[in-house]
Amino acid sequence: MSAEIVSGLLNTEVTNSSKIPVEHLDYDYIQKCTDVGYLEKILKVLRSGEEGIYPHLIDFCEKHVEKLNPRSRALRIDKPAATAASLPTDEWSQISDELKSWETEMRAGEVQLKQLPLFSDEENVPPIRGSNCSVQSTSASGVKKSKNKASLPRDYKDWDKFDIAKECAKVDEVVANDSASTVINHGRPKAIKRKLHTSALTEQEKVVLANREKDKGNEAFKTGDYEEALAYYTRSLSVLPTVAAYNNRAQAEIKLQNWHKALSDCQKVLELEPANAKGLLRRATVQKHLGNLQLAIDDVNAVLHIEPHNEIAKKLLNELNKKMAERVPEKPANRKKMLIEEIEEEEEEKEHEANGAVESSSRERRGGESCAAAATATGEERGDMGNAQKKPHGRGDGGGGGRGGSSADKYTVTPPKGVEGARKGLANGNSAAHQAAEKAERERAEQSKVNLDAPAGNLPPPLARLKNEGNHLFKNGQFGDAIEKYSLAIDGYTEAGTDSPEDLCILYSNRAACYLKDGNSSDCITDCTKALELQPFSLKPLLRRAMAYESLERYRKAYVDYKTVLQIDTATQAAHDSVNRITRMLIEQDGPEWRDQLPEIPMVPLSAQQHRREEPLSAEEAQARAERATQEAARKAEARFALFKSDGNEFVKKGRYEEAVGKYSECLKLKPNECTVYTNRALCLVKLDRFAEAKRDCDAALALEPQNKKAFYRRAMANKGLKDYLACSTDLQEVLRLDSSVAEAERELQEVTELLRQSLATAASPGKARRSVPITEVDDTEAAATTKPDSTTEQNHVDQARPTAITQPANAYEFGQALSTARSHDDTAACADLLRFVAPETLPSYVSSHLDGHTIAFIMQALDGQLLDKEPGLVYQHLNHLHTAERFSVVLMLLDKDERRQMTQLFEHLSAVESEDFSQNDVQNLANKYI
């Protein structure tokens, strides 16, 4: 090994951290190196500062690494945590205060949670989940035995007295007793108490306890123990009703197939939160299992409107659509159906009531139908028109659907002996005989119940019997047979030549009801139309025709009939529900302009609207109804306002400002005093270059909130667009006064200041190039005596002429006119005379309306050249008040060098004057406000 090599090795230095030679920390080596990993090690050494700090070399190495591998981890620079030095003082103090308050609240809450008992009493202690046995350890006598250990020996004397054999025998006895006292109870655990007593708990404790019980239910639900989950959800709701607990309990009920209970819980969820997607989806699931497919589809569509990408809702909608497609309407048949639903004893009298019959007294004198209708009218719901709302069937146990008793209690029939024999034959397997016997019994019983020969309006007895038989068959669900009876009655009416349109209307309406029940919607529409031709605006034919139109998916005509029904009787709940349902369908089918495609809705005369007069409301009821209506209107308005505002904000984010303006305008129709909407709309109007409208919106916002910095800033942008740079500058200064950290306002102020200077310079240059020739008033005699001068003499005369003498101005307008005249002639003497007439304290109000840099310079020139020598005190007073004028600080920034030099010269001359009115120190303090 040569000496040079040894010397080189001895002189080579290696870094301690990454074993990188110092010679590699060089520009040339780094530039030639292409090994990114090795360059990262070099960069690490350079950043560590072990070999010194070389910022330029570090930067060079970083750029080379970035060139080779832009995604290198070495290029990532950790951002240090924020400290008090990295944030403004106010923001840091706010963050610190919020953290301290949060810490205090958490500690207080933790203390309260620790003090809160897990259970209010021993009865609320739940059993072990999934266990049907409990283990109890008792002594031989049945009493729990406490294991008290004897004291151990403490010194040698005690150990000498210690009997080992005796102690071992005691231990064996305890073990034997304990093993024999274990009792295994294989009975069912005690039921979980489903209601907790929370009268002594605070609101915070109730929230904690309700969440705890809900979490227990969630754990039980996950394990598949739905009964226990149901119990815990019920406990949670007994403490504090919440949407989450109702939703979870509904899901547990669905798992247990308690469909009606689940539906009730879903309804409560939607009462608390109408747009709850989970509640709608679970209600749709329940409706699907109950067979209400259309209602389920409506709920799923509502879910997809809220969450368009909900996969569960899409899957459920596909299933419902398949089931709807598979559902085929039943064909009309003459088979008999038993008690589909309960109807009134005399269907025709309900028809008279719905059609607005006013001759109730004459009807009662005729007897029969009117009496029966009057007897049943008290138990009838107003919305049960045309059997649109189904009633529960009587079961023969006293439940008569609200009529005070079942039909079984009304008539008592003794079955014949043949029927008893047929019943005995059933025990021997003779099913045919049994069916015949039941049919015979049913016919005899029905014949004994109904008087088929009862009179029916003005119809002849044969037609009245046919009508009564049709009513009787309709009640029993035999719609095909009822259609035959009503058809015979209608044909007989035409042949008999009876003149009673009201009775014929009832026959057509009743037959239409049978067609509707049998699924024959076309014939139902035909009969309802004929009934309405006989008795216009009759309620039941309208309602039945609307239902038939809806079943045929002719939604527009159905909508018109339902709205007509509501004009006649607003209490028909079936019409309200159908209108809401059809409205959603028409919106989906025809879009927002769906109303334009509707047929004309007829106007119902007052005589038809008032046939169901209600008793006048009391003052308390009227006031309560008005309050509810006001609250509902306010709620709807608030919801619409939030929707419009949200849509407007979304349009702004997407850059669709014209549409956003429309949404914000809708918001202001609902809430005209919402400052935020005005500022938002002003932003959109500025983006659309509609600056005058944006300025009006900002003015409205500032009238509501005088310190709103957004309104000031956006009005400044509007003024900038209108090229009113002075007003723009004033608004930007107000923004900075309210919040000095608004960087956008600072940048805009600099830009607007430069624009204002340019505009003032452009406006002033033409005025300096031209010179106005004043017109002086002279006497006629003076004009006649004056000889005609030559052109030179005339020009000199014009130049030396003075305008009309200055008088004391009465207001700011006269002051401005006089000042403009003096300035146009560059007459500082006239300006000085004007300033003599004006009190110093009124000068700021007089000059503020037309204050600019040239006006201030002209006033300074007049004060320095005309008034300073004669009246220095007046000059000082004017200067002491002039700087308080509006926008003075803005105009002061726009003065050029010559004007500033002239102002400095004025204060130098003023400080050299000795006066009793002011001192040199006063002049110096005043000069600081100008210079």
Side-chain angles (χ1 to χ4, degrees):
M1 185 180 292
S2 64
E4 294 180 357
I5 296 175
V6 173
S7 176
L9 292 173
L10 292 174
N11 293 331
T12 301
E13 297 181 10
V14 180
T15 59
N16 295 328
S17 61
S18 300
K19 297 181 180 181
I20 295 176
V22 177
E23 287 79 2
H24 293 178
L25 307 179
D26 182 67
Y27 286 97
D28 294 337
Y29 182 83
I30 292 173
Q31 186 175 6
K32 295 177 182 179
C33 182
T34 57
D35 187 354
V36 179
Y38 192 70
L39 285 173
E40 290 177 352
K41 293 181 181 180
I42 293 176
L43 184 59
K44 182 178 180 182
V45 173
L46 291 173
R47 287 175 176 172
S48 66
E50 294 176 358
E51 301 298 332
I53 300 175
Y54 307 97
H56 295 288
L57 183 59
I58 294 173
D59 186 52
F60 179 78
C61 186
E62 287 177 350
K63 291 181 179 178
H64 190 56
V65 171
E66 184 179 4
K67 182 178 178 181
L68 296 175
N69 183 12
R71 297 185 179 180
S72 174
R73 286 180 170 270
L75 298 176
R76 300 180 184 177
I77 300 176
D78 295 334
K79 186 177 181 181
T83 61
S86 59
L87 294 173
T89 306
D90 296 340
E91 185 175 355
W92 180 260
S93 60
Q94 181 181 359
I95 293 173
S96 178
D97 294 341
E98 290 178 355
L99 287 174
K100 289 180 181 178
S101 62
W102 176 82
E103 183 181 4
T104 304
E105 291 177 2
M106 290 299 102
R107 288 182 177 177
E110 186 177 357
V111 172
Q112 293 180 1
L113 292 178
K114 289 180 179 179
Q115 294 175 353
L116 182 65
L118 288 175
F119 304 98
S120 58
D121 51 24
E122 281 297 324
E123 296 179 358
N124 293 329
V125 179
I128 300 174
R129 184 180 303 115
S131 173
N132 288 329
C133 66
S134 59
V135 179
Q136 301 176 355
S137 179
T138 58
S139 62
S141 60
V143 181
K144 292 183 180 179
K145 184 178 180 181
S146 60
K147 299 179 181 179
N148 295 327
K149 295 183 179 180
S151 58
L152 296 174
R154 302 180 60 183
D155 53 14
Y156 290 106
K157 293 181 179 180
D158 292 339
W159 280 111
D160 292 339
K161 298 177 182 179
F162 187 74
D163 190 348
I164 297 176
K166 184 177 180 181
E167 293 298 329
C168 289
K170 289 181 179 180
V171 171
D172 295 338
E173 182 180 358
V174 170
V175 171
N177 291 337
D178 288 347
S179 61
S181 62
T182 300
V183 178
I184 299 178
N185 182 11
H186 291 281
R188 295 182 59 82
K190 64 178 181 180
I192 302 174
K193 187 177 180 180
R194 299 200 174 196
K195 185 175 181 182
L196 301 180
H197 301 288
T198 58
S199 57
L201 299 181
T202 63
E203 290 299 323
Q204 185 177 3
E205 291 173 341
K206 288 181 180 179
V207 172
V208 173
L209 186 57
N211 289 334
R212 182 181 298 166
E213 296 298 324
K214 179 172 68 68
D215 293 340
K216 292 178 184 176
N218 294 343
E219 294 176 4
F221 190 92
K222 290 177 183 177
T223 60
D225 195 344
Y226 304 122
E227 290 284 355
E228 186 174 343
L230 191 64
Y232 283 122
Y233 292 141
T234 305
R235 287 162 64 95
S236 176
L237 291 170
S238 70
V239 177
L240 186 67
T242 59
V243 172
Y246 276 123
N247 250 332
N248 293 359
R249 191 171 74 172
Q251 185 64 22
E253 297 283 9
I254 290 173
K255 292 292 185 181
L256 295 171
Q257 298 184 1
N258 298 332
W259 308 118
H260 293 286
K261 293 181 179 179
L263 183 61
S264 176
D265 283 345
C266 293
Q267 291 294 118
K268 291 176 181 177
V269 169
L270 296 174
E271 288 175 4
L272 296 173
E273 190 176 326
N276 188 282
K278 287 186 177 179
L280 289 168
L281 194 58
R282 288 169 186 172
R283 188 172 69 175
T285 304
V286 174
Q287 297 286 15
K288 183 189 76 170
H289 286 89
L290 292 176
N292 303 324
L293 300 184
Q294 186 58 51
L295 296 178
I297 290 174
D298 293 342
D299 286 341
V300 175
N301 287 330
V303 173
L304 291 175
H305 180 72
I306 299 169
E307 299 178 0
H309 303 292
N310 192 318
E311 296 298 332
I312 299 177
K314 292 179 180 178
K315 183 178 178 181
L316 182 58
L317 183 61
N318 292 334
E319 295 178 4
L320 292 169
N321 290 331
K322 290 180 181 178
K323 288 192 175 183
M324 286 290 288
E326 294 173 358
R327 177 179 287 181
V328 180
E330 296 180 0
K331 296 180 180 179
N334 291 331
R335 56 182 180 273
K336 298 179 179 180
K337 303 176 184 178
M338 298 302 297
L339 293 175
I340 299 301
E341 55 187 79
E342 184 181 16
I343 64 170
E344 288 72 15
E345 289 180 347
E346 297 296 336
E347 179 71 12
E348 63 277 11
E349 286 309 313
K350 286 187 64 183
E351 295 290 338
H352 287 305
E353 183 180 359
N355 291 330
V358 296
E359 300 178 357
S360 57
S361 58
S362 61
R363 281 285 184 190
E364 291 174 1
R365 286 193 296 271
R366 294 171 188 168
E369 297 173 352
S370 297
C371 299
T376 59
T378 56
E380 176 187 9
E381 294 182 10
R382 296 183 60 83
D384 190 13
M385 293 296 167
N387 302 313
Q389 293 175 333
K390 297 182 180 181
K391 298 181 180 180
H393 305 300
R395 299 295 183 187
D397 53 356
R403 295 171 177 271
S406 65
S407 59
D409 297 330
K410 204 167 185 179
Y411 302 99
T412 303
V413 180
T414 304
K417 295 181 179 180
V419 176
E420 293 294 336
R423 289 178 178 173
K424 293 179 181 179
L426 178 62
N428 299 326
N430 191 354
S431 58
H434 170 67
Q435 293 176 0
E438 283 191 344
K439 183 176 180 180
E441 177 186 4
R442 191 164 52 246
E443 291 176 354
R444 291 188 181 90
E446 296 299 334
Q447 289 176 3
S448 62
K449 291 179 184 178
V450 181
N451 182 11
L452 298 178
D453 295 325
N458 293 328
L459 293 175
L463 301 182
R465 181 177 179 85
L466 289 172
K467 178 184 175 183
N468 293 335
E469 290 176 355
N471 294 344
H472 175 66
L473 293 169
F474 184 91
K475 284 177 60 178
N476 292 332
Q478 302 175 27
F479 305 121
D481 297 337
I483 290 172
E484 294 179 1
K485 297 297 182 182
Y486 290 135
S487 300
L488 290 174
I490 292 170
D491 296 337
Y493 178 93
T494 306
E495 295 173 0
T498 307
D499 186 14
S500 179
E502 186 177 349
D503 293 321
L504 183 58
C505 173
I506 294 173
L507 290 173
Y508 276 119
S509 179
N510 289 358
R511 190 171 71 173
C514 297
Y515 283 135
L516 184 64
K517 293 295 182 181
D518 245 351
N520 190 352
S521 300
S522 300
D523 290 340
C524 174
I525 294 171
T526 303
D527 278 357
C528 290
T529 304
K530 292 178 181 178
L532 291 170
E533 290 173 357
L534 295 167
Q535 294 289 322
F537 304 111
S538 182
L539 190 64
K540 282 197 173 182
L542 275 171
L543 189 57
R544 288 166 180 164
R545 188 173 69 176
M547 296 167 68
Y549 279 137
E550 186 178 3
S551 66
L552 294 175
E553 299 183 357
R554 297 161 68 177
Y555 297 122
R556 298 187 186 93
K557 292 187 176 182
Y559 182 91
V560 171
D561 280 348
Y562 280 130
K563 294 295 285 187
T564 308
V565 168
L566 291 177
Q567 290 184 62
I568 299 171
D569 187 3
T570 58
T572 307
Q573 187 60 39
H576 283 290
D577 297 339
S578 300
V579 164
N580 295 335
R581 182 171 61 253
I582 292 176
T583 300
R584 291 195 297 268
M585 295 179 181
L586 289 176
I587 291 174
E588 294 176 1
Q589 177 179 329
D590 300 331
E593 306 299 328
W594 62 277
R595 293 183 184 275
D596 299 337
Q597 303 184 31
L598 289 175
E600 184 179 358
I601 300 176
M603 296 297 297
V604 178
L606 293 177
S607 58
Q609 294 179 22
Q610 297 176 357
H611 73 287
R612 284 178 173 268
R613 293 181 179 176
E614 298 179 356
E615 296 181 0
L617 298 175
S618 62
E620 293 79 4
E621 292 176 349
Q623 182 178 1
R625 182 174 294 184
E627 291 177 355
R628 287 195 298 270
T630 303
Q631 293 175 359
E632 182 65 18
R635 184 187 65 79
K636 291 182 179 178
E638 185 67 29
R640 291 181 61 200
F641 175 83
L643 179 62
F644 286 139
K645 185 177 179 182
S646 175
D647 291 345
N649 296 340
E650 290 297 326
F651 286 140
V652 170
K653 292 178 183 178
K654 297 176 182 178
R656 297 159 64 180
Y657 301 112
E658 191 68 44
E659 299 176 15
V661 168
K663 293 297 181 181
Y664 291 138
S665 300
E666 293 294 332
C667 288
L668 291 175
K669 291 179 183 178
L670 298 171
K671 285 188 177 182
N673 295 327
E674 193 70 20
C675 180
T676 308
V677 181
Y678 280 112
T679 56
N680 290 358
R681 190 171 71 172
L683 171 64
C684 300
L685 292 171
V686 169
K687 296 290 186 181
L688 295 170
D689 295 339
R690 294 158 62 178
F691 302 114
E693 299 176 41
K695 185 177 180 180
R696 286 197 294 270
D697 278 354
C698 293
D699 292 339
L702 290 172
L704 296 171
E705 294 184 13
Q707 302 297 321
N708 191 300
K709 62 183 179 182
K710 285 187 178 181
F712 277 116
Y713 181 79
R714 288 166 187 173
R715 189 172 70 176
M717 295 298 98
N719 286 324
K720 181 181 177 183
L722 295 171
K723 297 185 179 181
D724 188 357
Y725 302 124
L726 192 58
C728 177
S729 177
T730 303
D731 287 338
L732 290 173
Q733 290 186 63
E734 188 65 24
V735 173
L736 293 173
R737 185 185 68 80
L738 294 172
D739 188 356
S740 59
S741 64
V742 182
E744 295 86 349
E746 292 182 359
R747 291 195 297 269
E748 290 292 340
L749 183 59
Q750 294 176 2
E751 181 181 348
V752 169
T753 302
E754 185 61 29
L755 292 172
L756 184 57
R757 286 178 179 173
Q758 295 175 4
S759 64
L760 291 176
T762 304
S765 57
K768 292 181 179 179
R770 296 189 301 270
R771 184 177 183 84
S772 302
V773 178
I775 300 174
T776 57
E777 298 178 1
V778 296
D779 297 333
D780 294 338
T781 57
E782 182 180 356
T786 304
T787 58
K788 183 177 181 181
D790 58 8
S791 60
T792 305
T793 305
E794 182 181 0
Q795 182 65 34
N796 293 336
H797 173 71
V798 172
D799 289 342
Q800 295 174 2
R802 289 282 306 276
T804 305
I806 298 297
T807 59
Q808 183 174 1
N811 49 45
Y813 175 76
E814 293 182 1
F815 176 85
Q817 291 293 322
L819 183 62
S820 299
T821 304
R823 180 182 163 191
S824 64
H825 295 85
D826 200 14
D827 192 348
T828 56
C831 181
D833 293 340
L834 182 63
L835 293 174
R836 285 191 182 97
F837 288 122
V838 176
E841 57 271 13
T842 61
L843 179 62
S845 61
Y846 279 3
V847 79
S848 60
S849 61
H850 45 78
L851 188 63
D852 55 24
H854 299 295
T855 302
I856 289 181
F858 184 66
I859 292 174
M860 295 294 173
Q861 185 180 357
L863 292 175
D864 190 13
Q866 302 293 334
L867 287 178
L868 184 60
D869 295 337
K870 300 177 183 179
E871 301 180 47
L874 182 60
V875 173
Y876 176 79
Q877 291 297 326
H878 276 309
L879 292 174
N880 193 30
H881 289 86
L882 180 60
H883 69 86
T884 62
E886 187 179 357
R887 300 186 297 181
F888 178 82
S889 58
V890 178
V891 176
L892 193 63
M893 294 190 301
L894 305 176
L895 297 178
D896 56 22
K897 294 182 180 180
D898 294 337
E899 292 168 346
R900 289 184 180 277
R901 181 179 54 77
Q902 185 178 1
M903 186 180 295
T904 305
Q905 184 179 353
L906 171 61
F907 279 100
E908 289 176 355
H909 294 165
L910 185 62
S911 62
V913 175
E914 295 182 359
S915 176
E916 297 178 355
D917 297 333
F918 56 88
S919 61
Q920 291 186 355
N921 191 22
D922 294 336
V923 175
Q924 184 64 35
N925 293 334
L926 185 60
N928 292 335
K929 299 178 181 179
Y930 284 83
I931 302 173

